[in-house]
């Protein structure tokens, strides 16, 4: 991977995570159930990417190995969505969101196992700082939120957390599968996976309460074309260009942007602890991208303080 490719990959990942963090705004504006939104996102996004691919003449015939990784990635992505949406219902969005953000760690573990690269673990401390930032910035009160499950039983909240954990693992696997498809156009990978997702999710969506208002259509078209088609193309392109550690750390931009959207559009007032969490995420992302070495930094500080 040359430096120009790595640099463009970083900006593509930043753009993709920024779009991802603003999805909630348009989901709420659409006024549609979550399953309906995801179905139409898959359908519109997949068709738009297929049209782009046809226009560019970029479709490539795949060999058996590539088909295997494409289908495995698609299955992981679809089941990831189903697990995450079930987690939202069983526990709470705050619990599911925090648990889901362990996926950068799963990605790091999978890559360390498959590549046997011990250098990957150098990035772990700052990823832990970023995850701690997600927990703080979410405003999550674990005891309170777990006890606030629909029927008052903590078992439902724990089941939801377990499903979010499984969703995180599946998303990390989908990322790994995409990295195995080097040389295949990101639009081709994403379009096939999204359209397969639409086929699987179609029987589960309830369109009986469909709202034909222009705001719903406008929001869904934006979600489909921009927050799905464009976002997945950028993200999958970045997956093929960046090392796993960069993908893992830049993934934390998503919750940061989501919080900023809440502040700007919904006048959400953040506590000091939440602002501290946002700062931790930002510092950790910068540290990983600039390849700061925490051990070397600690040795330098200890030396300056006279500790040998």
């Amino acid at each position: 991977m040359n430096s120009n490719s790595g640099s463009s990959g970083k900006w593509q990942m930043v753009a993709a995570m920024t779009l991802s963090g603003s999805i909630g705004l348009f989901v709420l504006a659409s006024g549609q159930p979550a399953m309906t939104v995801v179905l139409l996102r898959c359908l519109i996004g997949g068709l738009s990417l297929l049209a782009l691919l046809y226009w560019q003449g970029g479709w490539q015939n795949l060999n058996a190995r590539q088909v295997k990784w494409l289908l495995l990635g698609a299955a992981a992505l679809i089941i990831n969505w189903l697990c995450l949406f079930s987690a939202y219902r069983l526990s709470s969005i705050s619990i599911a969101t925090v648990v889901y953000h362990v996926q950068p760690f799963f990605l790091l573990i999978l890559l360390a196992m498959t590549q046997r690269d011990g250098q990957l673990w150098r990035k772990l401390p700052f990823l832990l700082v970023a995850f701690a930032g997600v927990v703080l910035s979410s405003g999550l009160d674990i005891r309170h939120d777990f006890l606030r499950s629909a029927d008052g039983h903590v078992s439902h909240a724990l089941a939801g957390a377990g499903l979010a954990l499984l969703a995180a693992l599946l998303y990390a696997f989908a990322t790994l599968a995409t990295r195995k498809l080097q040389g295949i156009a990101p639009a081709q990978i994403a379009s096939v996976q999204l359209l397969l997702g639409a086929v699987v999710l179609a029987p589960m969506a309830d369109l009986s309460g469909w709202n034909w208002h222009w705001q719903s259509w406008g929001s869904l078209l934006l979600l489909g074309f921009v927050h799905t088609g464009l976002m997945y193309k950028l993200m999958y392109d970045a997956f093929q260009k960046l090392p796993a550690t960069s993908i893992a750390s830049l993934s934390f931009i998503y919750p940061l942007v989501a919080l900023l959207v809440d502040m700007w559009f919904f006048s959400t007032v953040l506590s000091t602890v939440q602002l501290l969490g946002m700062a931790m995420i930002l510092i950790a992302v910068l540290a990983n991208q600039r390849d700061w070495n925490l051990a070397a930094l600690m040795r330098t500080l200890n030396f300056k303080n006279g500790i040998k």
Side-chain angles (χ1 to χ4, degrees), residues 129-196:
V129 171
F131 180 69
V134 171
V135 175
L136 293 178
S137 61
S138 71
L140 177 67
D141 181 337
I142 294 176
R143 175 179 167 79
H144 177 263
D145 285 345
F146 266 77
L147 293 177
R148 206 178 59 182
S149 56
D151 58 1
H153 294 298
V154 73
S155 58
H156 275 206
L158 288 173
L163 282 173
L165 196 65
L166 178 58
L169 178 59
L170 288 166
Y171 183 81
F173 182 82
T175 304
L176 179 63
T178 303
R179 287 170 56 83
K180 295 287 185 180
L181 295 168
Q182 297 288 340
I184 306 301
Q188 181 173 344
I189 300 169
S191 62
V192 171
Q193 291 184 343
L194 289 169
L195 291 175
L196 283 173

Side-chain angles (χ1 to χ4, degrees), residues 21-298:
S22 61
I23 285 174
L25 176 66
F26 295 95
V27 171
L28 291 176
S30 74
Q32 301 302 316
M35 191 62 74
T36 302
V37 172
V38 175
L39 169 62
L40 292 173
R41 278 188 67 196
C42 287
L43 191 59
I44 297 170
L47 290 174
S48 64
L49 286 172
L50 207 58
L52 173 65
L53 201 65
Y54 177 78
W55 179 68
Q56 292 178 334
W59 183 272
Q60 298 170 252
N61 292 325
L62 307 180
N63 58 38
R65 175 184 170 278
Q66 291 168 328
V67 169
K68 179 192 75 173
W69 281 112
L70 182 65
L71 293 178
L72 285 173
L77 198 63
I78 294 164
I79 301 172
N80 148 75
W81 290 332
L82 295 174
C83 288
L84 189 58
F85 298 144
S86 299
Y88 288 155
R89 289 196 300 270
L90 285 170
S91 56
S92 68
I93 291 178
S94 56
I95 289 175
T97 300
V98 168
V99 173
Y100 187 64
H101 276 91
V102 302
Q103 60 89 6
F105 301 100
F106 282 137
L107 177 61
L108 201 67
I109 291 167
L110 287 174
L111 264 294
M113 290 170 59
T114 55
Q115 294 183 357
R116 302 187 184 280
D117 184 358
Q119 291 299 311
L120 290 170
W121 298 110
R122 285 181 51 211
K123 302 286 186 175
L124 185 60
F126 287 116
L127 291 180
L128 289 169
V129 171
F131 180 69
V134 171
V135 175
L136 293 178
S137 61
S138 71
L140 177 67
D141 181 337
I142 294 176
R143 175 179 167 79
H144 177 263
D145 285 345
F146 266 77
L147 293 177
R148 206 178 59 182
S149 56
D151 58 1
H153 294 298
V154 73
S155 58
H156 275 206
L158 288 173
L163 282 173
L165 196 65
L166 178 58
L169 178 59
L170 288 166
Y171 183 81
F173 182 82
T175 304
L176 179 63
T178 303
R179 287 170 56 83
K180 295 287 185 180
L181 295 168
Q182 297 288 340
I184 306 301
Q188 181 173 344
I189 300 169
S191 62
V192 171
Q193 291 184 343
L194 289 169
L195 291 175
L196 283 173
V199 170
V200 172
L201 296 172
M204 307 177 196
D206 180 12
L207 300 177
S208 59
W210 179 254
N211 181 354
W212 292 93
H213 193 269
W214 67 268
Q215 182 174 305
S216 287
W217 271 115
S219 299
L220 289 168
L221 287 173
L222 277 172
L223 283 168
F225 286 114
V226 179
H227 291 82
T228 306
L230 176 60
M231 187 192 82
Y232 270 84
K233 183 182 184 307
L234 289 169
M235 188 166 63
Y236 279 18
D237 207 359
F239 284 173
Q240 293 183 345
K241 293 177 180 177
L242 294 175
T245 50
S246 287
I247 295 171
S249 63
L250 290 172
S251 296
F252 286 104
I253 291 175
Y254 155 58
L256 189 63
V257 172
L259 281 166
L260 292 173
V261 168
D262 275 350
M263 290 174 61
W264 185 264
F265 290 97
F266 301 106
S267 301
T268 302
V269 179
L270 300 183
S271 67
T272 304
V273 171
Q274 287 176 298
L275 291 172
L276 173 63
M278 292 174 69
M280 289 170 66
I281 295 171
L282 186 59
I283 291 169
V285 169
L286 287 173
N288 265 317
Q289 294 309 303
R290 292 180 178 276
D291 201 25
W292 292 353
N293 188 322
L294 186 60
L297 183 62
M298 292 300 294

